[in-house]
Amino acid sequence: MPESKGRASGLVDLPRELEADLIEMGRTFADWNVEGTFLAHSTIEHYRAGLDSAPLFHGFRETLLSTLGGAAGGYAVVRLRGIAQALGIDDRFLRLATAVLAEVATPFQPFRRWPLWKEIGTNLDANPGLSTGTGYNAFHMDLVNATQPPDYTTLLCVRPDPLGGGASILSDARAAVSHLPTSSRSLLADAAYRYGSFFNLSDVGDEYRPFPVLDGRPADAGFVRFTAKMLTESDIDAAHAQAARELADQMVAGQVSFTLQRGDLLIVNQHRWVHGREPLGDGQHTIAPEERRLLLQLFLRNRKYVPVAG
């Protein structure tokens, strides 16, 4: 079970009967097809027909959707460990995980150079604060500088850190905003923030530079556009930087942390929550590269989205 700290967790367990059904499906699902950057509709329908044949899947789907949505929702950890043990985390497992995610929203890959599932390994030479680094990866949303970021980001644990580090951290961004004074929220609504580059992307709109942290839109449509890296890697005036630091402090104060295990699938609703990672365990140089922490990432787009040129 993931170690969990902070508020009530979003753990979603599978009934044993459903797990057994999904293991059998994982052995029979066909390879997926993509249309542009999106999982093909024909593949989604094929997978859905299989999932709907499992008597307990409807109830599981409703639980998952309610965990990710609603005023109190925003993230889920779907524990597929038994399936990972039975199938191994290979193409069969990934087809099944993709089928489950397609019931939340449409899987897609905005980075043109990567396959549908993108590897996030451990690189001892990378900047420690990057997703592939070994240090603290501060709170952020993915593709913060796109006009239409992915609605959900997902992370599948293939291998946890053998040294016990790398806990996932999450925070309810909208709850954090609610604790700020009006003056700070007003500054965060200004288009005064910048971060990152923007190239070789598809279906995430245009570059948003500068952008506001708070866009004033409803929670199901807008974002709290935040990445802690903009405070150290961008030129922001003192007043706007201070407002963002206050928000970062509130995110840390309300954070949830847990350590993903092999087969755990984390789904984060980017309209509501931000995510990050605690440092990996000391001594990564003693671990063989093929045994270091490895995640796979996949993005989801809500059905109502109309693709645009990236």
Side-chain angles (χ1 to χ4, degrees):
M1 180 174 185
E3 176 188 356
S4 182
K5 299 177 182 178
R7 326 182 169 175
S9 70
L11 292 177
V12 180
D13 285 303
L14 298 176
R16 288 187 178 181
E17 297 89 342
L18 177 58
E19 185 177 81
D21 287 342
L22 294 181
I23 289 170
E24 289 306 310
M25 286 181 202
R27 295 184 171 120
T28 61
F29 275 154
D31 290 339
W32 62 69
N33 292 310
V34 295
E35 296 171 347
T37 64
F38 289 85
L39 188 68
H41 180 72
S42 58
T43 297
I44 293 173
E45 291 301 309
H46 166 66
Y47 289 165
R48 179 169 296 152
L51 295 174
D52 284 344
S53 70
L56 297 180
F57 187 78
H58 177 77
F60 164 79
R61 177 170 50 206
E62 292 303 311
T63 297
L64 178 58
L65 293 176
S66 65
T67 301
L68 290 168
Y75 79 94
V77 180
V78 183
R79 300 203 294 184
L80 303 177
R81 299 179 193 177
I83 299 174
Q85 183 176 4
L87 299 179
I89 300 185
D90 59 11
D91 289 345
R92 297 175 302 172
F93 182 93
L94 292 182
R95 287 193 289 266
L96 181 62
T98 303
V100 171
L101 291 173
E103 295 304 300
V104 174
T106 304
F108 82 117
Q109 182 51 264
F111 296 97
R112 296 174 188 168
R113 64 187 182 276
W114 300 110
L116 194 63
W117 287 93
K118 173 181 177 286
E119 283 196 3
I120 300 179
T122 300
N123 182 353
L124 304 191
D125 296 323
N127 181 323
L130 294 178
S131 60
T132 57
T134 61
Y136 177 70
N137 184 217
F139 281 124
H140 63 281
M141 64 167 288
D142 289 327
L143 289 159
V144 65
N145 61 332
T147 56
Q148 296 174 291
D151 297 292
Y152 299 87
T153 186
T154 77
L155 293 168
L156 169 64
C157 181
V158 178
R159 287 191 304 270
D161 178 13
L163 298 177
S168 296
I169 56 174
L170 291 96
S171 191
D172 183 337
R174 295 189 179 274
V177 169
S178 72
H179 295 303
L180 297 177
T182 301
S183 58
S184 296
R185 293 200 299 268
S186 178
L187 287 166
L188 292 170
D190 293 338
Y193 299 90
R194 296 173 172 82
Y195 175 73
S197 58
F198 191 92
F199 64 96
N200 206 21
L201 297 168
S202 295
D203 295 304
V204 290
D206 301 315
E207 183 175 13
Y208 203 176
R209 180 184 179 95
F211 56 83
V213 173
L214 306 180
D215 58 19
R217 302 177 70 192
D220 62 344
F223 296 90
V224 178
R225 292 179 180 273
F226 181 85
T227 173
K229 293 185 178 71
M230 67 191 182
L231 292 170
T232 58
E233 300 180 24
S234 299
D235 184 16
I236 305 171
D237 68 81
H240 288 94
Q242 179 58 30
R245 289 191 189 95
E246 292 173 11
L247 177 56
D249 289 344
Q250 291 295 335
M251 288 176 174
V252 171
Q255 80 175 34
V256 175
S257 69
F258 43 79
T259 303
L260 297 173
Q261 300 299 323
R262 179 176 170 83
D264 286 341
L265 179 60
L266 170 63
I267 310 170
V268 182
N269 182 340
Q270 291 216 116
H271 294 279
R272 299 178 180 275
W273 287 66
V274 288
H275 64 285
R277 181 201 65 233
E278 297 284 4
L280 302 187
D282 291 337
Q284 291 295 316
H285 64 281
T286 67
I287 305 298
E290 66 274 12
E291 296 176 0
R292 293 174 189 151
R293 183 177 187 260
L294 175 62
L295 305 179
L296 298 178
Q297 184 176 47
L298 184 147
F299 298 99
L300 303 177
R301 173 67 72 201
N302 283 335
R303 312 278 189 220
K304 61 185 178 182
Y305 171 77
V306 177
V308 296

